[in-house]
């Protein structure tokens, strides 16, 4: 009986798509029993004359409900297990009703029960882990990948309906901050009861119902036996690789404790199996405005094929991380995070690069042998006070690394040494203070300040050593006052930003004073916001250290308008349209006039005077979800018109590709479309996803004094699926296609497109008890017929009990030793041949602590 009730509740929760609102009335009511007690969980469904379900509601704990009627409603039906169904004829002139439910009894001769996989309550979707978990899944990230509407990127970031989540909670607390991949990749799926998606999540209590958020947050709900106790995992993996004298290892030690007032996750990992563990301490969130700066030079990265890095990465990696969170009060908490990484990676590759933008399309051949070592340490302290009217958040960060790459390259049959040391030191402080008055007015202060030091050294192809002395300082500060008048919100923001960059003997400074007024209105499911940003900007470029006679100054007024319209078309679909004009000043990296090597064989010369690039962007976001059909979909087209792109002149001189900025400027149009449909089926617990996108962008270059224009088009499509057709068998697979095509607009030559396909299929078998057999297959091929088909096969056998698991894994049983591919960019056609990992055997023991 209980399970039948759950099924009926789930069914009514997911009732069909509501049509766009045609009536402004709101239908209120209360459902009571014969004793006049409010009834919780009664299903309220509206129908039209033909019996089609239009919209729905569920009564709360006191029996009350609210229904937003749509056009065409004929009657409303009230149902609850064990009670007679009541039908009320809909009258638009009446907006309140009290419905009395009468008990009844009936017999069920035979009941077939299926577990509820997704449920909804308000703005919260709850995914049952048991409903999506398959035999092979170990971490909660493995299960999230199968949940429709959710996606997990290779770097560990999670998105809902195509947009990155803005928070990752564990039992309602933000322990991990922007480094949540540590938790999602390491918390066992067996310890998690459900995954909640908090739609339109506004983390600041005092801003709820004032500032709209179109992003979602994730909350991990643990099982009772994983709460308020110390739990953990210990993994030991040892093995051998063919054609290698060394041992393989993959180990992990993790301890966790998730209490109401204290949480911690401690982790140590090491591996030399090719697994990328560095992504687990990446800052995945985009919440902070100040994000530090990247070095002009970087570690030598040969890249690799378009498949899992474990196939071609030869590494020795160690990761140590600690995360602690204390509830310091009812509405406050303190979080401390610290991590260290050591990663050594060897890379071997042969390649040839054809420069399509140069006369005669010269070809450069390279034979690489490189080792890169990363030594990184960082820490973060975050204090948060989140009351009903007051919000305070302070984030202090420090970061330091000691990275280096060295090796040799056979460059056009000439042996050359390689060396690059792109060091980075950073400290930053972010402070946000917000207060909401009793009348709904908001006062805010925001300050984000950071200093980054980027010393570096690079050995160039001509044997010279380039020393880099780079300092960056940024301070962004604003005060904001938001006043409410009925359905209108008027917002005034005043701010001052200051930026400073020093690259060797070139200094660049920017000071920006701005005022940003805005007005927003909400009415009948619509929210319209109009704002602009008016700035007075001073820029100073001092190139005197490079022999320039004068300091160059620039003073400008910028006006950056923004118009945003959000329409809640129905309970299942939303539309967002956004237009904005943005101004982006060229920083010192593009202004410096001294030849600056960005890699061992590429040199750039900047424009030498302060300038600004402007961009018009128009974007849309259409999302749809219907729990009745288990269907999630989104479509996001974007159009960008860039004004003031720097026109570079490209030439190849003694093996160095030089890009010299000219006085010419040009405009470009870019088109981006991204979409996905995912559906959950009851049959075989199947989840099916189809996605795709287009990215089309323009670029221009001067070649021997002649303007060359080209457009780069990238198309991609994907199909992913998971199912359990019969008890004890699970199947998971994915197919992808990518087309890269370069169109030359000013010459008769067009580069033929490159088409790459990849397919993966995993079959897992649980014949009896805890035995698990798995086979994972991958196939890669392209339209380059000479490369043939590359295939791989991994197999494993293991036994899993409640507390431990023992398995034997054999990777690359069938596979290639090298992989060939072709990539096309706006200026090059790049052929590469990458060494792949050999056949490997690993014995793993995992113990639940």
């Amino acid at each position: 009986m209980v399970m039948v009730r759950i099924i009926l509740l789930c069914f009514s929760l997911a009732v069909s798509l509501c049509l766009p609102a045609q009536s402004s009335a709101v239908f209120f009511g209360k459902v009571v029993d014969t004793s006049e007690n409010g009834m919780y969980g009664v299903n309220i469904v509206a129908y039209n004359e033909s019996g089609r379900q239009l919209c729905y509601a569920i009564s709360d704990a006191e029996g009350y409900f609210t229904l937003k009627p749509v056009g065409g409603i004929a009657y409303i039906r009230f149902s609850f297990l064990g009670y007679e169904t009541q039908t009320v004829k809909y009258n638009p002139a009446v907006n309140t009703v009290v419905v009395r439910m009468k008990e009844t009894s009936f017999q069920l001769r035979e009941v077939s029960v299926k577990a509820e996989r997704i449920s909804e309550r308000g703005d919260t979707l709850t995914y049952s882990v048991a409903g999506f978990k398959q035999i092979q899944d170990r971490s909660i990230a493995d299960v999230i990948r199968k949940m429709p509407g959710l996606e997990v990127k290779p770097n560990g970031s999670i998105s809902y309906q195509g947009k990155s989540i803005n928070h990752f909670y564990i039992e309602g607390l933000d322990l991990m901050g922007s480094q949540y991949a540590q938790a999602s990749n390491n918390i066992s799926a067996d310890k998690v009861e459900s995954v909640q998606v908090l739609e339109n999540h506004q983390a600041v209590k005092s801003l709820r119902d004032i500032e709209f958020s179109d992003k979602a947050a994730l909350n991990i709900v643990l099982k009772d036996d994983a709460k308020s106790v110390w739990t953990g995992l210990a993994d030991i993996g040892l093995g051998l690789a063919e054609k290698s004298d060394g041992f393989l290892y993959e180990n992990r030690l993790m301890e966790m404790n998730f209490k109401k007032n204290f949480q911690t996750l401690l982790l140590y990992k090491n591996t030399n199996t090719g697994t990328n563990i560095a992504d687990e301490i990446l800052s995945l969130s985009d919440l902070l405005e100040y994000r530090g700066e990247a070095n002009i030079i970087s570690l030598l990265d040969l890249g690799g094929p378009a498949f899992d890095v474990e196939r071609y990465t030869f590494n020795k990696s160690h990761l140590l991380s600690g995360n602690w969170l204390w509830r310091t009060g009812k509405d406050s908490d303190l979080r401390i995070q610290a991590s260290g990484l050591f990663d050594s990676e060897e890379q071997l590759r042969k390649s040839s690069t054809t420069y399509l933008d140069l006369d005669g399309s010269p070809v450069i051949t390279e034979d690489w042998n490189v080792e890169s070592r990363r030594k990184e340490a960082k820490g973060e302290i975050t204090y948060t006070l989140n009351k009903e009217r007051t919000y305070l958040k302070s984030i202090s960060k420090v970061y330091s690394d000691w990275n280096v790459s060295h090796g040799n390259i056979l460059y056009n049959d000439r042996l050359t040494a390689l060396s690059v040391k792109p060091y980075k030191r950073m400290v930053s402080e972010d402070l946000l203070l917000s207060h909401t008055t009793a009348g709904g007015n908001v006062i805010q202060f925001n300050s984000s300040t950071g200093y980054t030091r980027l010393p570096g050294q690079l050995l160039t192809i001509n044997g010279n050593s380039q020393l880099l002395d780079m300092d960056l300082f940024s301070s962004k500060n604003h005060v904001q006052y938001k006043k409410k008048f009925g359905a209108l919100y008027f917002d005034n923001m005043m701010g001052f930003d200051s930026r400073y960059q020093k690259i060797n003997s070139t200094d660049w400074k920017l000071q920006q004073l701005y005022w940003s007024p805005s007005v927003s209105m909400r009415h009948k499911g619509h929210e319209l916001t109009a704002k602009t940003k008016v700035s007075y900007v001073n820029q100073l470029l001092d190139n005197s250290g490079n022999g320039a006679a004068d300091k160059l100054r620039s003073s400008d007024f910028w006006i950056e308008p923004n118009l945003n319209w959000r329409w809640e078309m129905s309970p299942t679909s939303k539309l967002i349209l956004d237009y904005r004009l943005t101004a982006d000043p060229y920083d010192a990296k593009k202004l410096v006039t001294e030849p600056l090597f960005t890699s061992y064989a590429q040199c750039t010369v900047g424009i030498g005077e302060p300038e600004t690039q402007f961009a018009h962007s128009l974007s849309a976001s259409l999302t749809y979800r219907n729990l009745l059909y288990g269907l999630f979909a989104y479509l996001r087209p974007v159009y960008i018109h860039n004004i003031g792109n720097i026109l570079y002149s490209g030439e190849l001189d003694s093996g160095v590709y030089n890009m010299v900025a000219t006085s010419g400027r040009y405009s470009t149009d870019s088109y981006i479309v991204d979409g996905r449909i995912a559906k959950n089926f009851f049959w075989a617990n199947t989840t099916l996803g189809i996605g795709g996108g287009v990215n089309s962008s323009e670029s221009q270059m001067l070649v021997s004094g002649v303007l060359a224009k080209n457009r780069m088009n990238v198309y991609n499509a994907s199909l992913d699926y998971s199912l359990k057709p019969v008890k004890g068998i699970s199947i998971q697979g994915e197919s992808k296609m990518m087309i890269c095509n370069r169109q030359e607009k000013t010459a008769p030559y067009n580069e033929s497109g490159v088409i790459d396909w990849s397919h993966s299929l995993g079959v897992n078998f649980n014949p009896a008890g805890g035995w698990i057999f798995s086979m994972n297959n991958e196939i890669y091929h392209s339209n380059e017929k000479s490369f043939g088909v590359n295939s791989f096969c991994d197999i494993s056998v293991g036994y899993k009990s409640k507390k431990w698991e023992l398995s034997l894994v054999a990777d690359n049983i069938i596979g290639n030793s090298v992989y060939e591919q072709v990539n096309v960019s706006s200026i090059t056609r790049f052929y590469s041949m990458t060494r792949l990992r050999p056949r490997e055997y690993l014995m793993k023991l995992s113990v639940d602590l």
Side-chain angles (χ1 to χ4, degrees), residues 133-138 190 728 730 763-775 795-801 804-808:
K133 185 176 180 296
Q134 293 189 356
I135 302 168
Q136 71 278 11
D137 295 331
R138 298 296 181 266
D190 293 334
S730 68
V763 180
N764 307 274
F765 180 43
N766 176 216
W771 289 100
I772 302 174
F773 298 89
S774 298
M775 176 180 291
I795 60 174
S796 67
V797 57
Y799 182 85
K800 183 178 181 181
S801 70
W804 58 269
E805 180 179 1
L806 182 65
S807 61
L808 175 63

Side-chain angles (χ1 to χ4, degrees), residues 129-171:
V129 171
F132 290 93
K133 185 176 180 296
Q134 293 189 356
I135 302 168
Q136 71 278 11
D137 295 331
R138 298 296 181 266
S139 71
I140 188 58
D142 295 334
V143 184
I144 292 175
R145 286 184 175 91
K146 300 176 178 63
M147 296 175 174
L150 291 168
E151 297 173 78
V152 181
K153 301 296 192 298
N155 65 2
S157 64
I158 300 173
S159 62
Y160 172 69
Q161 291 288 66
K163 287 192 175 182
S164 299
I165 62 173
N166 61 10
H167 282 82
F168 183 96
Y169 299 111
I170 303 174
E171 287 294 313

Side-chain angles (χ1 to χ4, degrees), residues 361-400:
S361 299
V363 178
I364 299 296
T365 61
E366 299 164 310
D367 192 345
W368 298 78
N369 183 354
V370 174
E371 180 184 6
S372 295
R373 291 196 300 269
R374 296 172 58 186
K375 298 178 182 178
E376 303 176 2
K378 63 179 178 178
E380 176 180 329
I381 300 177
T382 302
Y383 174 77
T384 305
L385 175 68
N386 195 5
K387 291 187 174 183
E388 291 299 326
R389 292 190 182 179
T390 303
Y391 181 79
L392 171 67
K393 189 167 189 176
S394 172
I395 305 176
S396 303
K397 290 183 177 182
V398 293
Y399 173 90
S400 184

Side-chain angles (χ1 to χ4, degrees), residues 19-33:
L19 299 175
Q22 300 174 9
S23 171
S24 61
V26 178
F27 193 70
F28 301 97
K30 184 176 183 180
V31 186
V32 298
D33 58 19

Side-chain angles (χ1 to χ4, degrees), residues 276-484:
N276 180 12
I277 61 177
D279 282 349
E280 295 188 6
I281 56 172
L282 282 179
S283 295
L284 299 172
S285 173
D286 60 354
L287 293 178
L288 299 179
E289 290 188 32
Y290 180 79
R291 305 180 65 73
E293 295 283 352
N295 209 316
I296 291 177
I297 58 177
S298 58
L299 288 173
L300 296 171
D301 185 4
L302 305 187
F307 47 80
D308 290 343
V309 296
E310 288 87 349
R311 298 290 185 195
Y312 59 85
T313 301
F314 294 81
N315 66 330
K316 297 176 182 177
S317 304
H318 300 262
L319 170 65
L320 179 64
S321 176
N323 306 271
W324 302 267
L325 183 144
W326 294 268
R327 291 293 298 270
T328 56
K330 178 183 176 182
D331 300 301
S332 61
D333 59 61
L334 176 68
R335 183 178 70 220
I336 298 178
Q337 295 177 279
S339 62
L341 172 71
F342 172 80
D343 180 72
S344 176
E345 183 177 332
E346 296 180 2
Q347 303 175 75
L348 294 175
R349 190 184 68 188
K350 295 182 178 181
S351 65
S352 67
T353 304
T354 304
Y355 287 92
L356 304 175
D357 60 329
L358 301 182
D359 287 344
S361 299
V363 178
I364 299 296
T365 61
E366 299 164 310
D367 192 345
W368 298 78
N369 183 354
V370 174
E371 180 184 6
S372 295
R373 291 196 300 269
R374 296 172 58 186
K375 298 178 182 178
E376 303 176 2
K378 63 179 178 178
E380 176 180 329
I381 300 177
T382 302
Y383 174 77
T384 305
L385 175 68
N386 195 5
K387 291 187 174 183
E388 291 299 326
R389 292 190 182 179
T390 303
Y391 181 79
L392 171 67
K393 189 167 189 176
S394 172
I395 305 176
S396 303
K397 290 183 177 182
V398 293
Y399 173 90
S400 184
D401 65 33
W402 303 264
N403 297 336
V404 61
S405 292
H406 59 83
N408 296 292
I409 181 174
L410 198 61
Y411 188 88
N412 281 349
D413 298 324
R414 184 182 69 187
L415 185 63
T416 303
L418 296 174
S419 178
V420 58
K421 298 177 181 179
Y423 294 162
K424 181 176 181 178
R425 313 285 185 265
M426 188 191 77
V427 58
S428 68
E429 170 65 29
D430 294 271
L431 177 65
L432 173 62
L433 175 62
S434 177
H435 178 72
T436 303
T437 67
N441 303 323
V442 179
I443 304 172
Q444 284 187 346
F445 170 74
N446 197 332
S447 177
S448 179
T449 303
Y451 170 74
T452 305
R453 170 124 178 97
L454 297 166
Q457 182 177 350
L458 174 68
L459 188 63
T460 66
I461 195 67
N462 52 25
N464 296 325
S465 181
Q466 173 183 272
L467 296 178
L468 182 66
D469 184 15
M470 187 171 175
D471 292 277
L472 307 107
F473 173 81
S474 173
S475 181
K476 299 181 180 181
N477 310 274
H478 73 253
V479 292
Q480 187 174 0
Y481 180 67
K482 184 187 291 283
K483 182 151 183 80
K484 181 180 180 183

